[in-house]
Amino acid sequence: MDPWSWLGFAKTTFHAADTTVDIPFKTSDSQSLKKVCSDPSVTPPCRLTPLLPGGHLQTVNFALSKDDFPIYYRRQVFDSDDPNYPGTFAVDFVSHADASEASKGQNDDVKVQRRPAQIKGNLFCPSGARLFEEDEWAAMDRGSQDTAPMLVVMHGLSGGSHEVYLKECLAPFVLQPKGSAPKWEACVVNARGCAGSAITSGVLFNARATWDFRQTVKWLRKRFPNRPLFGIGFSLGANILVNYLGEEGERCELDAAVSVSNPWDLNVSNLSLQRSWLGNEVYQRAMCSNLKKVLMRHGDELRKNPNIDLERILNTKYLYEFDRELQCPTWGYPTEAAYYRDAASVEPLMNVRTPLLCINAEDDPMSPPQAQPTREVFKNPYAVLCRTSMGGHLGWFEIGGTRWFPKSVHNFLRKMAEEADLQALKQGRKAQSKELGSRTQVSSFDPLRRKMVYQSEW
């Protein structure tokens, strides 16, 4: 081990293709994506607290961190427009008005509202969130021609918009100094059944559930045609985000994206956790327990799914057992390993045609080095993997308790929004995608080959 690591000095390496896509800038020469990502003004040196040495302490501390970020949301429940995945899902939009009222002491309880929180598609709203009033949503649904950059965010496993790591990442974008107008908008797509949203189709989310995120992006593009759109995904949400980016390819409406603590090769990550006592008895058990808590809120609806045995699911102890009893029969996978291989984002990464910064730590117990796409990024000029020697899973805690990774997320997306020529980038993306797709071989590999074709039968 590097002796400097005992003082919190993490080593940062960048993995990318020999030639990454050029990012055109409005007032300066273009730069390669790798150069943009590796610039210290975007990715600063990683200096972590020496009081949390190792990935396990960093990871455990993330679960204990406190919420000190005054971010408030308005929630809207959408009906799915995909007939293959019926039901509802909840999207939480950052509310600058509620934040302003709270800062003035005029809105001590932002959950007070005329509409009841328990409606179709919603059981309750997490702290700091409330449903849109009908007139408020009507105004939102009309959209606008403004050019404010907007974030579309996916949380981690069984989480939601209330998660501290997510709010800490949003804070530098949406919290402005007193007296100044907010420059960024943001929304969080909550996985079905999470953060108080109700399951209305008998089906929980899975690790490649891109459909609700896709519908949200399409809705935003239609209502706000002039807004640059940027994606952020955390942990399992990062896996879903990269799957989405790969599925969309050059058609993607996002202008850039960041993946944080993505588990990537889910089967490799699962097997790695099973090999250690901590991995199996702490992490696997904790993730299973959290999912069962989510599940128990929706027992009546899930019992409508004839393919699952709710009692067997509630008797599971480990995450892989939970997935074996719920995800496999729901989606038609024969084993949890087949599900993990099919849902993994490591191969769809190679079809991404949106500038993508991926941030991972080598000591992440949920995403070990062998699961991370150090070779796959060499095959795609649109992706850069930034890997630190320390940081754990969604940790990277610095002296004072702040996290390191929100700085890189903020710096990269702000540079893309404020300095990059996004229209020129889109035009170049289409041209380069044609060039990448025109390379012929005797045999070819399809990174989007999928085994799951879901059809509801009840």
Side-chain angles (χ1 to χ4, degrees):
M1 180 180 288
D2 185 346
W4 287 102
S5 65
W6 293 105
L7 298 177
F9 287 69
K11 181 181 179 181
T12 305
T13 56
F14 296 88
H15 303 261
D18 293 335
T19 303
T20 54
V21 64
D22 282 336
I23 306 299
F25 289 100
K26 299 172 185 176
T27 60
S28 61
D29 295 335
S30 63
Q31 295 181 5
S32 71
L33 178 62
K34 183 177 181 181
K35 186 174 182 180
V36 171
C37 294
S38 60
D39 190 304
S41 67
V42 171
T43 305
C46 186
R47 303 290 182 259
L48 308 180
T49 174
L51 300 178
L52 297 172
H56 294 302
L57 288 177
Q58 285 278 345
T59 300
V60 171
N61 194 63
F62 119 76
L64 303 176
S65 51
K66 297 180 180 180
D67 183 359
D68 294 323
F69 304 97
I71 294 176
Y72 300 93
Y73 302 99
R74 301 287 179 95
R75 170 168 291 186
Q76 180 64 20
V77 177
F78 287 82
D79 288 305
S80 174
D81 62 6
D82 191 328
N84 291 317
Y85 310 105
T88 57
F89 63 97
V91 180
D92 293 341
F93 295 81
V94 169
S95 173
H96 300 296
D98 282 339
S100 177
E101 291 177 8
S103 68
K104 297 174 183 177
Q106 298 174 355
N107 192 8
D108 294 330
D109 187 357
V110 300
K111 293 183 288 186
V112 174
Q113 55 185 28
R114 296 190 299 272
R115 295 177 68 194
Q118 192 164 354
I119 61 171
K120 178 188 175 183
N122 200 63
L123 298 177
F124 63 88
C125 291
S127 177
R130 64 184 177 97
L131 293 172
F132 274 101
E133 305 295 350
E134 292 182 3
D135 56 337
E136 295 170 339
W137 179 247
M140 184 77 170
D141 197 37
R142 285 194 294 269
S144 77
Q145 299 297 314
D146 71 69
T147 59
M150 183 156 193
L151 302 171
V152 193
V153 184
M154 281 293 298
H155 58 80
L157 181 71
S158 70
S161 62
H162 58 283
E163 297 288 354
V164 180
Y165 63 81
L166 188 152
K167 284 187 171 183
E168 183 171 354
C169 209
L170 288 183
F173 292 101
V174 302
L175 297 182
Q176 299 298 321
K178 192 173 183 179
S180 62
K183 296 181 179 179
W184 286 71
E185 301 294 338
C187 68
V188 181
V189 183
N190 294 292
R192 298 190 188 190
C194 293
S197 63
I199 293 176
T200 55
S201 62
V203 177
L204 196 65
F205 65 92
N206 71 26
R208 53 162 294 202
T210 58
W211 32 90
D212 295 341
F213 189 87
R214 177 177 292 103
Q215 180 175 334
T216 303
V217 172
K218 287 182 178 179
W219 183 89
L220 289 169
R221 176 50 63 227
K222 184 176 181 180
R223 299 308 193 277
F224 305 98
N226 299 323
R227 286 185 181 180
L229 300 178
F230 302 96
I232 307 175
F234 303 95
S235 191
L236 191 74
N239 188 75
I240 294 172
L241 172 64
V242 175
N243 268 309
Y244 163 80
L245 295 172
E247 290 169 3
E248 293 296 297
E250 66 180 71
R251 304 184 306 274
C252 186
E253 295 285 2
L254 299 182
D255 293 289
V258 181
S259 160
V260 183
S261 290
N262 191 336
W264 294 106
D265 192 324
L266 303 182
N267 196 42
V268 171
S269 297
N270 167 57
L271 293 174
S272 177
L273 286 172
Q274 290 188 51
R275 291 189 189 106
S276 71
W277 184 87
L278 274 175
N280 219 34
E281 300 301 325
V282 177
Y283 299 123
Q284 287 269 10
R285 275 181 175 266
M287 289 186 287
C288 182
S289 176
N290 289 338
L291 283 170
K292 287 195 293 184
K293 290 176 183 176
V294 171
L295 200 70
M296 285 188 287
R297 299 190 191 114
H298 314 281
D300 291 342
E301 186 66 31
L302 289 170
R303 284 190 175 90
K304 298 177 183 178
N305 184 339
N307 298 321
I308 65 173
D309 184 329
L310 196 59
E311 299 309 315
R312 286 177 64 91
I313 297 171
L314 294 176
N315 285 329
T316 59
K317 295 180 180 179
Y318 306 106
L319 177 61
Y320 61 86
E321 293 179 339
F322 180 93
D323 290 334
R324 181 187 302 158
E325 298 296 338
L326 177 68
Q327 302 292 16
C328 290
T330 296
W331 307 99
Y333 293 108
T335 66
E336 68 270 20
Y339 162 56
Y340 294 147
R341 288 191 293 267
D342 195 40
S345 59
V346 66
E347 290 179 4
L349 170 67
M350 292 183 282
N351 201 56
V352 170
R353 298 295 180 264
T354 300
L356 174 64
L357 171 61
C358 311
I359 304 174
N360 280 89
E362 292 179 9
D363 63 357
D364 183 343
M366 314 290 185
S367 179
Q370 59 269 34
Q372 297 172 16
T374 52
R375 294 301 305 169
E376 285 77 8
V377 291
F378 281 103
K379 301 298 181 180
N380 188 348
Y382 283 88
V384 172
L385 172 61
C386 169
R387 193 158 77 163
T388 61
S389 58
M390 301 185 296
H393 190 75
L394 295 175
W396 287 286
F397 286 96
E398 303 171 310
I399 294 175
T402 59
R403 287 175 169 89
W404 168 81
F405 75 81
K407 299 179 177 66
S408 293
V409 175
H410 178 252
N411 294 341
F412 174 67
L413 294 181
R414 184 176 178 183
K415 190 176 186 72
M416 294 297 295
E418 297 179 1
E419 301 179 34
D421 187 335
L422 298 179
Q423 290 302 317
L425 178 61
K426 286 183 179 179
Q427 294 172 1
R429 180 166 68 181
K430 293 180 180 179
Q432 188 160 22
S433 294
K434 289 182 180 179
E435 179 184 346
L436 291 170
S438 65
R439 299 172 185 173
T440 58
Q441 297 177 221
V442 175
S443 62
S444 61
F445 173 76
D446 180 5
L448 296 181
R449 182 175 59 239
R450 295 301 204 190
K451 301 175 182 64
M452 183 189 79
V453 180
Y454 175 74
Q455 293 181 341
S456 176
E457 297 180 352
W458 66 89

